[in-house]
């Protein structure tokens, strides 16, 4: 019985065990979060807390055991790929997390994923296994110091002024590729070059440990290295270059006080190496003003050195202008009382003293200026000859208006009146269209140019009611004033004054002793002008185009800017009309320096006026801190225009003698004096010969413009009743030249080419009246250009008048002697010194020579005979004084005295120069002059 109970109990236990193994009631349990660390280049993860999975079914076999862990993707979705978890002990549930491959901290420093544990289920096949919840695992990859620091730049440069200590001159920087702060940070830097006056801190800032001296050492070069916190040294050291600058003085550097300009060079930069130094002061606006002073050169600047009339022709101005202030001459004597001043451009300048210097234009000139359409042009300078520029306090102190031109002209059946005046800094034109009906109109301009005591060009174009004023080529609009005040009407009388206007007119009566009454008209001048005037002209009719006005004023020299396309952003350039002031404005120093170096001086004249032009540079800076803003002093220098190569004007093609029969000079057209004239203009300049290393003078023929030639008779002036010089007036008028033909000279003026002057001078002829022929007449020809600045050689021509005596002497023996005296075969070579026409050589010259020779030979025979008789008379007186002491002696027997003289032998006793002198002395009454030195006399056997 007991045995049966025991077996039943045993069976019950086994059944219970079997039933218990098949009942997996609990899930495994793990922590909810783990923190893991893994070393770089390793794969084992150290977790905190350690990885253990617990199951309450323990110690049941299978159900209480942990069979494995599963890794799931974390938030980044990559954890399950790189990591895995393994079970180390199934009964205790201990596990291990590891990476499938070594990790790189620099690629990814942290990883996150989830992990889940599962038990073995109810049997070896894992049926009905249970899973734990998912736990988050954070794995951090610990860095390994595998990288060394690397400098950002291999070379560092800095510039510092000398004599100062700086907290930081330059900062070097190195980087480390390690991922952790421990190894990626640079812990310190070090200067590895010994004995340098520099130090470096842990942040890489380099400073000087003592003041630097540029004279002792201008450039310092040294090397630095870097260490990370793992004490790894930089792979490559960095070089540091510190340049020591001299003590910084704000201002312009590279200023050249003297600048030379060679005429013909075109444009040259004035400041090729100039730059502004601000000593690290921050500026936001820079303005520089370059001023070129040319007021002492001509009328404000260098212009064409031709006369005003020639310049008008060159500029294409419409002809017909009337010169109101012409050079004094018998035909234009109303300017003879005005004082004149010399001018560097050879123009005539008249001075007005503000009282009694007035030019009254004659009615014959004023009558050609009628109409209400005209152009008035003039050069004006306020004040006297030796004046300084007016200041602000002294400008406009004169209360009275100063009248430049005052005119009343006749227009058909009415009179119009106008006056141009200045008052202070105002210019006014008072115009009265009809002095008997219309009311006057006043045009007013306020101009600084009127009162700055400098030369200015004024062009006033009147097309009433329209008035246009050009001052130095710039247009200015007027302000209209309809003057309704009590202004008396001008008298309807045609007249024009320069330098004042007329006032009251008084009649003065004078009675002489013989009861003859004389009436004098006294005119009172009002508004007298005080200053200088030149080139005052009026041209009635249509007004001048603007291009002509600009050409008349155009300065041939001035300031310019090289290339506007290279102008930096934010830069502005302004040049005044006369190109004497150039203003640069900008905000960037580098762009401003480049712009300053582009400022140029140009002079388009081939023969620029030499001399000094003062040069000034004024600079103003605006800084963010106005209190400490820099102030730069004005720089002064000068531009020297060198002497140009003078042109050589050569006149040739005319022999020293011109011999023609007198009847040709008495013809209606006379004889041309310069039929084969040639004018050549050349420039001589020095060139270097490469072969010999020496300088040689080269002469280049160039095309020039002459502006005057003069033919002058030497000795006595021309007698208008017996002789005159003729010129082809058609050629002169066609070319627009001017001619002055007087008994003292004939002058042709006007800017024209050399070929034109050759044509005109070749047409100059010399004509004599009937029976007025002389022995000779000499003329001198000279030409010039640039208004007499350069002159040619003086070409002297001797004109010989050949007279035929055949009408007075026709004996046959003279003709026979003539044939024997001169051999016909030698005429061409012997008379080459004279220009003799062929038909007259045998008929005129030999006959005259024979007559003179015969007369002179006869004179010599008479002189010899008289000498012999003179000797005999002296001898006889001597014998009588001795009282006949020797009466018995032999006496001088002259009864049979016979003297035979061969005329040709006598001629051989004298040289040709003596014979010429005797012929001139003895035969002075003859009407033929023959230069015997030009002939070779031969005795025919």
């Amino acid at each position: 019985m007991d045995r049966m109970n025991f077996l039943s109990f045993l069976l019950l236990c086994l059944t219970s065990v079997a039933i218990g193994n098949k009942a997996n009631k609990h899930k495994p349990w793990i922590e909810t979060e783990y923190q893991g660390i893994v070393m770089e280049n390793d794969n084992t993860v150290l977790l905190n807390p350690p990885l253990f999975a617990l199951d309450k079914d323990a110690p049941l076999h299978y159900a209480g055991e942990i069979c494995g862990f599963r890794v799931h993707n974390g938030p980044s979705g990559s954890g399950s790929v790189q990591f895995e978890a393994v079970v180390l002990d199934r009964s205790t549930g201990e596990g291990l997390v590891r990476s499938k491959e070594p990790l790189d901290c620099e690629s990814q420093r942290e990883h996150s994923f989830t992990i889940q544990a599962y038990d073995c289920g109810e049997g070896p096949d894992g049926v009905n296994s249970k899973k734990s919840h998912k736990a988050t695992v954070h794995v951090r990859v610990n860095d390994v110091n595998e990288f060394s620091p690397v400098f950002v730049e291999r070379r560092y440069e800095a510039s510092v002024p000398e004599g100062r200590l700086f907290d930081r001159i330059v900062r070097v920087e190195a980087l480390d590729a390690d991922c952790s702060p421990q190894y990626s940070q640079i812990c310190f830097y070090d200067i590895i070059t010994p004995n340098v006056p520099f130090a470096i801190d842990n942040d890489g800032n380099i400073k000087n440990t003592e003041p630097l001296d540029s004279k002792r050492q201008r450039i310092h070069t040294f090397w630095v290295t870097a260490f990370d916190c793992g004490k790894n040294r930089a792979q490559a050291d960095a070089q540091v270059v510190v340049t020591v600058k001299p003590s910084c003085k704000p201002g312009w550097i590279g200023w050249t006080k003297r600048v030379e300009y060679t005429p013909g060079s075109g444009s040259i930069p004035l400041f090729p190496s100039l730059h502004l130094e601000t000593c690290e002061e921050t500026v936001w606006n820079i303005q520089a003003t370059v001023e070129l002073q040319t007021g002492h050169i001509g009328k404000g600047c260098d212009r064409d050195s031709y006369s005003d009339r020639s310049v008008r022709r060159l500029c294409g101005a419409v002809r017909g202008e009337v010169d109101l202030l012409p050079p004094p001459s018998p035909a234009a004597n109303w300017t003879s009382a005005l004082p004149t001043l010399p001018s560097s451009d050879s123009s005539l300048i008249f001075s007005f003293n503000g009282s009694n210097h007035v030019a009254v234009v004659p009615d014959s000139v004023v009558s050609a200026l009628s109409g209400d359409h005209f152009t008035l042009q003039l050069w004006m300078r306020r004040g006297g000859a030796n004046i300084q520029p007016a200041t602000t306090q002294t400008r406009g102190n004169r209360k009275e208006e100063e009248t430049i031109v005052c005119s009343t002209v006749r227009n058909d059946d009415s009179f119009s009146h106008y006056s141009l005046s200045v008052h202070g800094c105002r210019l006014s034109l008072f115009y009265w269209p009809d002095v008997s009906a219309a009311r006057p109109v006043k045009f007013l301009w306020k101009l600084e140019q009127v009162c700055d005591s400098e030369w200015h060009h004024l062009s006033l174009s009147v097309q009433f009611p329209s008035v246009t004023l050009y001052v130095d080529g710039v247009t200015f609009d007027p302000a209209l004033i309809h003057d309704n005040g009590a202004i008396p009407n001008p008298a309807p009388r045609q007249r024009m004054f320069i330098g004042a206007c007329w006032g009251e007119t008084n009649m003065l009566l004078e009675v002489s002793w013989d009861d003859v009454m004389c009436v004098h008209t006294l005119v009172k001048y009002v508004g007298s002008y005080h200053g200088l005037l030149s080139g005052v002209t009026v041209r009635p009719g249509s007004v001048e185009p603007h291009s002509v006005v600009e050409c008349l004023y155009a300065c041939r020299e001035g300031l310019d800017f090289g290339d506007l396309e290279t102008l930096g952003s934010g830069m502005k350039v302004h040049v005044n009309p006369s190109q004497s002031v150039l203003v640069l404005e900008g905000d960037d120093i580098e762009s401003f320096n480049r712009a300053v170096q582009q400022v140029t001086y140009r002079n388009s004249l081939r023969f620029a006026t030499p001399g000094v032009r003062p040069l000034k540079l004024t600079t103003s800076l605006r800084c963010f801190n106005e209190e400490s803003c820099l102030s730069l002093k004005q720089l002064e220098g000068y531009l020297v225009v060198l002497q140009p190569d003078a042109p050589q004007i050569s006149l040739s093609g005319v022999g020293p003698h011109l011999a023609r029969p007198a009847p040709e000079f008495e013809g209606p057209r006379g004889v041309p004096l310069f039929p084969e004239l040639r004018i050549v203009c050349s420039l001589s300049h020095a060139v270097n010969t490469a072969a010999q290393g020496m300088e040689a003078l080269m002469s280049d023929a160039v095309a020039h413009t002459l502006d005057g030639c003069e033919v002058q008779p030497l000795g006595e002036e021309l007698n208008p009743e017996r002789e005159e010089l003729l010129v082809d007036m058609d050629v002169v008028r066609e070319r627009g030249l001017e001619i002055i033909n007087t008994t003292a000279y004939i002058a042709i003026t006007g800017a024209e080419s050399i070929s034109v002057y050759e044509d005109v001078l070749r047409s100059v002829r010399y004509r004599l009246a009937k029976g007025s022929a002389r022995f000779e007449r000499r003329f001198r020809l000279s030409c010039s250009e640039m208004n007499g600045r350069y002159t040619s050689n003086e070409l002297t021509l001797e004109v010989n008048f050949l007279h035929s005596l055949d009408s007075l002497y026709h004996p046959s023996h003279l003709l026979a002697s003539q044939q024997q005296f001169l051999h016909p075969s030698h005429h061409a070579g012997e008379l080459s010194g004279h220009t003799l026409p062929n038909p007259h050589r045998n008929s005129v010259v030999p006959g005259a020579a024979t007559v003179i020779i015969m007369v002179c030979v006869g004179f010599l025979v008479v002189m010899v005979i008289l000498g012999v008789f003179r000797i005999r008379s002296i001898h006889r007186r001597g014998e009588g004084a001795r009282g006949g002491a020797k009466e018995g002696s032999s006496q001088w027997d002259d009864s049979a005295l016979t003297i035979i003289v061969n005329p040709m032998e006598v001629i051989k006793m004298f040289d040709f120069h003596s014979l010429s002198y005797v012929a001139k002395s003895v035969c002075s009454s003859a009407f033929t002059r023959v230069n015997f030195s030009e002939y070779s006399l031969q005795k025919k056997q």
Side-chain angles (χ1 to χ4, degrees):
M1 186 67 178
D2 292 333
R3 185 184 178 112
M4 289 296 294
N5 290 335
F6 175 74
L7 292 173
S8 298
F9 176 74
L10 181 60
L11 181 60
L12 179 62
C13 289
L14 292 174
T15 303
S16 299
V17 172
I19 295 173
N21 287 338
K22 292 182 179 180
N24 190 3
K25 298 181 179 180
H26 300 92
K27 298 178 181 180
W29 178 89
I30 58 177
E31 299 287 343
T32 58
E33 185 175 19
Y34 294 91
Q35 301 292 334
I37 297 176
V38 60
M39 297 301 296
E40 189 177 16
N41 300 324
D42 195 4
N43 56 1
T44 301
V45 179
L46 301 179
L47 294 180
N48 183 23
L51 179 60
F52 282 93
L54 301 179
D55 195 328
K56 291 183 179 181
D57 293 326
L60 295 178
H61 190 53
Y62 297 113
E65 295 177 350
I66 302 299
C67 279
F69 297 93
R70 289 190 177 90
V71 177
H72 302 280
N73 291 335
S76 60
S78 62
S80 62
V81 178
Q82 295 179 329
F83 293 90
E84 62 180 358
V86 295
V87 177
L88 299 179
D89 189 349
R90 297 177 63 175
S91 60
T92 59
E94 181 182 3
L96 175 66
V97 176
R98 63 188 179 187
S99 62
K100 297 179 181 180
E101 57 186 16
L103 301 177
D104 186 8
C105 177
E106 287 73 30
S107 299
Q108 186 173 351
R109 188 178 181 184
E110 292 184 353
H111 301 268
S112 296
F113 54 90
T114 59
I115 190 172
Q116 190 178 35
Y118 61 92
D119 56 20
C120 295
E122 296 178 356
D125 54 357
V127 177
N128 294 327
S129 65
K130 293 186 180 296
K131 301 177 183 179
S132 68
H133 63 274
K134 293 181 179 180
T136 303
V137 180
H138 299 282
V139 178
R140 185 182 65 199
V141 182
N142 276 358
D143 187 23
V144 176
N145 192 9
E146 56 182 337
F147 294 100
S148 299
V150 177
F151 281 98
V152 177
E153 302 286 344
R154 294 295 304 274
R155 178 186 175 94
Y156 293 87
E157 296 183 359
S159 298
V160 293
E162 64 180 354
R164 293 172 54 187
L165 291 175
F166 295 90
D167 294 334
R168 186 178 75 174
I169 297 176
V170 65
R171 182 177 182 270
V172 299
E173 183 181 7
L175 300 178
D176 196 306
D178 289 315
C179 64
S180 64
Q182 178 182 2
Y183 300 127
S184 63
Q185 291 184 356
I186 306 300
C187 279
F188 64 95
Y189 295 88
D190 189 21
I191 297 177
I192 60 178
T193 302
N195 302 324
V196 292
F198 297 95
I200 188 170
D201 60 14
N202 292 339
D203 294 329
N205 297 316
I206 298 176
K207 64 180 181 178
N208 56 323
T209 56
E210 62 184 42
L212 304 178
D213 188 357
S214 62
K215 296 180 180 179
R216 185 174 62 184
Q217 185 174 354
R218 177 145 185 221
I219 298 177
H220 295 267
T221 303
F222 54 92
W223 296 85
V224 297
T225 190
F227 293 88
D228 62 16
C229 294
K231 296 186 178 181
N232 272 1
R233 181 176 171 174
Q235 292 181 352
D237 301 327
Q239 185 184 39
V240 180
V241 178
V242 178
T243 302
V244 182
K245 299 185 298 183
S247 300
C248 182
K249 296 180 180 180
W252 291 103
I253 299 177
W255 170 262
T256 302
K257 189 173 184 179
R258 176 188 172 97
V259 181
E260 291 187 353
Y261 178 82
T262 302
S265 303
S267 298
I268 63 168
L270 292 176
F271 321 112
S273 59
L274 189 65
H275 64 278
L276 181 63
E277 176 61 59
T278 60
C279 296
E280 300 181 359
E281 181 70 29
T282 304
V283 297
W284 64 272
N285 182 266
I286 312 170
Q287 181 173 321
T289 302
V290 183
E291 181 180 358
L292 181 69
Q293 298 180 7
T294 58
H296 60 290
I297 306 296
K299 298 186 183 72
C301 63
D302 206 359
R303 294 183 174 87
D304 285 319
S305 299
Y306 296 110
S307 63
D308 291 336
R309 191 175 296 272
S310 297
V311 172
R312 291 183 61 81
R313 290 190 63 255
L314 294 175
C315 292
V318 182
R319 299 181 182 179
E321 73 278 358
V322 177
D323 195 352
L324 302 182
L325 290 178
S329 65
N333 58 358
W334 67 90
T335 59
S336 58
L338 296 177
T340 59
L341 300 176
S343 173
S344 59
D345 61 356
S346 303
S347 61
L348 198 58
I349 297 176
F350 293 92
S351 176
F352 295 82
N353 60 0
S355 59
N356 59 349
H357 289 169
V358 179
V360 180
V361 184
D363 293 343
S364 59
V365 177
V366 180
S367 59
L369 305 177
S370 61
D372 56 359
H373 286 46
F374 61 90
T375 300
L376 173 64
Q377 294 188 349
L378 56 94
W379 287 95
M380 179 190 72
R381 179 182 176 182
R382 296 284 297 280
N386 299 318
I387 54 175
Q388 299 295 330
T391 59
T392 306
Q393 291 79 8
T394 61
R395 291 181 180 179
N397 286 341
R398 290 179 62 90
K399 298 181 180 180
E400 185 182 16
E401 281 191 346
E402 302 177 35
T403 303
I404 301 175
V405 180
C406 188
S407 174
T408 300
V409 296
R410 185 181 185 89
N411 301 322
D412 296 332
D413 55 351
S414 63
F415 289 86
S416 63
H417 174 83
Y418 71 88
S419 63
L420 182 66
S421 305
V422 289
H423 184 199
C425 292
R426 289 177 173 83
L427 178 74
S428 63
L429 174 67
F430 186 78
Y431 191 78
W432 208 312
D434 189 348
V435 297
S436 61
R439 65 178 182 175
V441 178
K442 193 172 187 179
F443 301 88
L444 190 64
W445 296 268
K446 186 176 181 180
L447 304 169
E448 287 292 323
Q449 293 89 334
V450 176
C451 55
D452 61 358
S453 300
E454 297 291 344
W455 278 107
H456 296 284
H457 181 264
L458 275 64
S459 178
L460 193 66
S461 298
V462 178
Q463 285 181 307
F464 190 78
S466 175
V467 176
T468 304
L469 174 67
Y470 298 96
V471 179
D472 298 338
V474 180
T475 309
F476 291 89
D477 296 326
L480 289 179
I481 299 176
H482 294 279
D483 200 342
N484 297 320
I487 300 177
N489 292 19
R493 175 188 169 188
Q494 184 171 269
R495 50 185 171 177
M496 176 181 283
F497 285 10
I498 308 296
C501 200
W502 54 86
E504 298 179 357
T505 303
N506 299 324
M507 308 298 293
L508 179 62
L509 302 180
E510 293 183 359
V511 180
S512 61
W513 291 103
D514 52 358
D515 295 334
V516 177
M517 182 174 64
C518 299
V519 181
H520 297 279
T521 303
L522 298 180
V523 179
K524 180 182 179 181
Y525 300 136
V526 295
S528 297
Y529 174 72
H530 180 65
L532 306 178
L533 293 177
S534 179
V536 182
T537 62
V538 173
R539 187 184 57 79
S542 59
V543 300
E544 297 281 10
H546 188 195
S547 59
V548 173
V549 176
E550 287 183 340
C551 178
L552 291 173
Y553 170 71
C555 284
R556 304 304 181 188
E557 67 172 341
L559 301 173
D560 202 355
F561 192 80
D563 188 4
L564 292 175
E565 295 182 358
T566 61
L567 196 63
S569 60
M571 291 295 304
K572 299 178 182 178
V573 180
H574 173 72
V575 185
N576 69 334
S578 62
Q579 294 187 316
S580 61
V581 177
L582 185 144
V583 179
L584 287 173
E585 186 176 358
D587 51 10
D588 180 66
I589 294 180
E590 295 299 328
S591 299
F592 197 87
N593 288 336
R594 289 193 298 269
V596 168
Q597 296 172 3
Q598 291 286 329
V599 177
T600 62
Y601 168 79
R602 59 146 191 90
N603 195 318
S604 60
L605 291 179
R606 178 181 296 173
F607 307 109
T609 303
V612 176
R613 278 82 163 161
L615 195 64
K616 294 182 180 180
L617 176 61
T618 306
T619 310
S620 63
L621 304 177
R622 302 185 67 181
C623 310
F624 291 101
N625 187 0
E626 295 293 341
E627 295 181 357
S628 62
C629 196
L630 302 176
S631 177
L632 304 182
K633 66 177 183 178
Q634 184 183 66
L635 298 179
E636 295 184 357
Y638 54 92
L639 172 75
V640 180
V641 178
L642 302 179
Q643 186 76 30
D645 295 330
Q648 298 173 357
I649 308 172
S650 176
L651 307 180
S652 61
V654 178
H657 300 280
L658 175 65
R660 290 290 189 276
E664 291 190 14
F665 290 93
E666 297 172 355
R669 293 179 54 83
V671 175
L673 295 179
F674 317 106
E676 298 179 358
L677 176 66
R678 290 186 66 247
I679 304 177
V680 177
C681 214
S682 60
L683 282 177
S684 297
H685 54 275
V687 295
N688 292 323
T689 56
Q692 302 175 355
M694 300 174 61
E695 287 192 353
L697 287 178
M698 295 292 293
S699 182
D700 300 331
V702 293
H704 275 257
T705 299
L706 300 180
D707 61 2
C709 288
E710 181 177 288
V711 180
Q712 179 183 3
L714 299 179
E716 299 179 357
E717 294 185 3
L718 296 177
N719 187 345
E721 297 179 356
R722 300 175 52 190
E723 54 186 342
E724 63 178 340
L725 288 174
L726 305 176
V727 182
D728 191 345
M729 296 304 299
D730 294 335
V731 177
V732 175
R733 283 191 294 266
E734 180 183 354
R735 298 298 185 176
L737 300 177
E738 298 180 2
I739 184 170
I740 301 176
N741 196 348
T742 66
T743 59
Y745 64 91
I746 178 172
I748 303 169
T749 58
E752 260 300 346
S753 63
I754 290 178
S755 60
V756 172
Y757 270 93
E758 284 180 340
D759 294 340
V760 174
L761 292 174
R762 288 169 184 171
S763 69
V764 175
R765 295 173 173 268
Y766 179 56
R767 190 174 69 86
L768 294 173
K770 293 291 185 180
S772 302
R774 307 172 49 177
F775 296 118
E776 66 177 14
R777 169 60 96 171
R778 301 177 68 200
F779 295 94
R780 181 173 59 200
L781 171 64
S782 62
C783 294
S784 65
E785 70 170 318
M786 308 296 286
N787 216 0
R789 181 175 172 185
Y790 302 108
T791 57
S792 69
N793 60 309
E794 293 184 349
L795 191 63
T796 302
L797 176 66
E798 180 177 317
V799 179
N800 300 119
F801 308 100
L802 304 181
H803 300 266
S804 174
L805 299 182
D806 293 345
S807 59
L808 300 177
Y809 303 99
H810 290 285
S812 59
H813 68 276
L814 289 180
L815 295 178
S817 301
Q818 170 185 331
Q819 299 298 329
Q820 296 179 2
F821 189 75
L822 291 177
H823 197 281
S825 62
H826 297 281
H827 287 176
E830 295 165 356
L831 304 181
S832 58
H834 292 271
T835 308
L836 295 176
N838 292 331
H840 301 280
R841 285 184 178 175
N842 295 332
S843 62
V844 178
V845 178
T850 303
V851 172
I852 294 177
I853 292 173
M854 297 302 295
V855 173
C856 293
V857 169
F859 171 77
L860 292 175
V861 172
V862 173
M863 293 298 294
V864 171
I865 295 174
L866 291 177
V868 172
F869 279 103
R870 181 64 175 170
I871 293 173
R872 291 190 62 187
S873 298
I874 296 174
H875 180 71
R876 286 179 178 179
R877 287 196 298 268
E879 291 292 333
R882 288 192 294 270
K886 297 181 180 180
E887 293 179 358
S889 62
S890 300
Q891 299 291 328
W892 178 269
D893 186 7
D894 59 352
S895 60
L897 179 61
T898 303
I899 299 176
I900 301 174
V901 179
N902 188 343
M904 301 310 297
E905 294 295 334
V906 175
I907 293 176
K908 293 170 63 177
M909 295 171 60
F910 296 90
D911 59 8
F912 294 120
H913 295 283
S914 301
L915 188 57
S916 176
Y917 174 77
V918 172
K920 292 180 182 178
S921 303
V922 178
C923 308
S924 59
S925 61
F927 291 95
T928 303
R929 177 181 180 270
V930 179
N931 190 344
F932 285 86
S933 63
E934 302 292 338
Y935 298 94
S936 175
L937 305 182
Q938 295 184 358
K939 178 180 178 182
K940 187 173 183 182
Q941 298 298 330

